[in-house]
Amino acid sequence: MGAHPSPRSPGAGGTPTGVPTAGDPGSGPAGGQSQDGLQAGLKNRHLSMIAIGGVIGAGLFVGSGAGISAAGPGILLSYALTGLLVVLVMRMLGEMAAASPASGSFSAYADRALGRWAGFTIGWLYWFFWSVVLAVEATAAGAILTGWVPAVPQWAWALLVMIVLTGTNLVSVGSFGEFEFWFAGIKVVAIVVFIVVGALAIFGLPPGDHAAGMSNLTGHGGFLPHGPGAILSGMLLVVFSFMGSEIVTLAAGESPNPVQAVRKAVNSVIWRIALFYIGSIAVIVTLLPWNDRAVAKSPYVAVLQSLDIPYAGTVMDVVVLTAVLSCLNSGLYTASRMAFSLGQRGDAPKSFATVNKGGVPAVAIWASVAFGFIATIFSYTSKDTIFQFLLNSSGAVALFVWLVICFSQLRMRRTLERETPERLTVRMWLYPWLTYATIGLIVFVVGYMFYDPDGREQMVLSVVAAVVVLAVGLILDRRRPRERAADESAAKVAERA
C-alpha cells in the first residue's frame, strides 16, 4: 500500500498556511491507520514507556562522568538548567503536536509556520543526526558484546544488532514499540533501583555502612570547584544527552489517540527529568568525591562498587547495552519517520513516502539504515577523520531543533488562536514571554559553544552542515514554481491534443 505525497502550499515568503483540518495528513489515525498511511499500531503502554525511557540514553550512564569531572557537584545545576530548557521546548512542541499530530513533528510544523525551507533544513539535519547515532550505538553495542564473546569480532556484532533491529522496524510499528517497551522498562527499573539503593546509602542504611552526609558536595574544592563558568561547560557536555525527548511526538501519530499521548508525555516530562537525570546524578556526587578517577570512567559502576554490590560492572554493562539497543531502535524509527515526512512533503524522493503491507515506510527505513551502515564502516576504517567529521557536524543539531521549535510555536500559536482555538488542549506557559526567554537561553548556549575551545569545532562544523542543507533547500524551493508551471503547461498541451 502506498502513501502519496500530500498537497501543500507553503505560502509566499514563508507565511503560515494554517493548521490542518481533520481530513489533512497528520491529524490523527482513522480506523487503525493514520491519515498519512502509517499503521496506528502503537499501544498506550508503548507510548508511555517511549516517553519515560526516551530521556534515558546511554550518554547518561557513560557520558555523565565527563560532565562531573568538568563541573564537580555543580553539574547538578548544569543538568537542572538543561532540563529546564528541555521542559520548556517540550511544552512548545507538545502544544503544536496535540493540535496537529504529524509523522514529521517539528519539521512539519516548521514547514507550515516558517516556510518550506525551514522544514526541509531541520528535517534533513535531524535525519542526519539520527543516522549518525545509528553508527555510534551499533559500534558501542559491538564493543560490549565483544567483551562478553571475544571470539566474535566487534564489527560482526555491530552488523548483527543493526540487522536485527532493522528487521523489527520493517515488520510493523508494533514490533518496534514492543522492543522499545522492554528496552525502556529495563532502563527505568535500573535507574529507579540505583536511586533507591543510593538514597538508602546516603542516610546510612544498608547497603551503606555510614551516612554520607553533604561532605562530598561541599568538600574537594567546594560545590563549584572550577568556578561558575563550569556550569556552562557542563551544559555543553550534557545538552545532547537529552536528545530523544521529542521522539514521542513523532510516535504519537501512529497510536489510537495521539492527542492524549502527547498531552501525557508533555505533562510528565518534568518529573522524568528530575527523577532520572538530576536524581541519579545527585546520588553519585553525594556518595563519591567528584574527582574520583572511577567516577570519571564510569560513575554508576563506581557507586555500586563502593557499596559492595556484587557484579556491579556486569550489571551496568547489561543496562548500558540495553540503553544502546534502545537508542539504536528508536534512532532508526525516528530517522525513518522523518524521511517519510520529508517524502510526503516533496522534500525527499517520493518513494520515501510509501508504506508496505505492514503500514511502515520500508524505503525510508532502508535509506536510513544504509547511511547508518556506511557511517558504521567509517567508525572502523576512518575513526579519527571521516567519522569524527560526521560526529562533529551533527553534534549541535539538538540546539538547532530546539530553536526551530521555539520560532515555529511563536507563529503557529497565533494561527491556532485565530483559526482553531479549540485545538489548543496543551498551552505553552506565559506565552509569548517564556518562549522568547527560551530562545535567548538557547542562543546564549550556542554563543558559548563558539567561545568554548572544546565546543567550537563542533559548533562550526554543525553550522556549516546547516548552511549547506539550507542552501540546497532554498535552491530546490526556487526551482519548484518553475517545475509546477512547466507541468501545468504540459497538462494544457495534453488537453488540447
Side-chain angles (χ1 to χ4, degrees), residues 345-361:
R345 289 176 273 144
D347 291 332
K350 290 182 179 180
S351 59
F352 284 17
T354 60
V355 296
N356 62 16
K357 293 180 180 179
V360 299

Side-chain angles (χ1 to χ4, degrees), residues 89-122:
V89 170
M90 278 295 294
R91 187 74 187 182
M92 289 180 243
L93 181 56
E95 177 183 287
M96 296 184 288
S100 176
S103 58
S105 187
F106 52 84
S107 174
Y109 307 141
D111 189 300
R112 299 168 195 163
L114 305 177
R116 193 162 192 168
W117 61 271
F120 177 94
T121 304
I122 204 64

Side-chain angles (χ1 to χ4, degrees), residues 58-66 68-69 194 284 288 292-306 312-317 320:
L60 174 63
F61 296 108
V62 251
S64 53
I68 294 171
S69 297
F194 177 85
I284 293 169
L288 296 176
D292 189 314
R293 288 184 179 180
V295 171
K297 183 179 179 182
S298 184
Y300 289 82
V301 172
V303 167
L304 296 178
Q305 288 179 338
S306 73
T314 303
V315 169
M316 285 312 302
D317 272 348
V320 170

Side-chain angles (χ1 to χ4, degrees), residues 106 121-122 125 240 243 393-407 442 446 450 458-467:
F106 52 84
T121 304
I122 204 64
L125 285 175
F240 307 110
M243 196 72 161
S393 57
S394 64
V397 167
L399 295 172
F400 300 160
V401 167
W402 295 349
L403 268 179
V404 166
I405 290 172
C406 292
F407 284 113
I442 296 172
V446 168
F450 279 112
Q458 190 176 75
M459 179 53 72
V460 169
L461 288 176
S462 295
V463 168
V464 170
V467 169

Side-chain angles (χ1 to χ4, degrees), residues 36-88:
D36 52 19
L38 295 174
Q39 190 68 34
L42 291 176
K43 301 176 182 177
N44 287 333
R45 64 182 177 88
H46 292 154
L47 282 172
S48 297
M49 200 56 76
I50 289 171
I52 295 172
V55 296
I56 308 174
L60 174 63
F61 296 108
V62 251
S64 53
I68 294 171
S69 297
I75 193 66
L76 288 171
L77 297 180
S78 302
Y79 272 106
L81 282 172
T82 309
L84 174 62
L85 198 59
V86 173
V87 167
L88 295 174

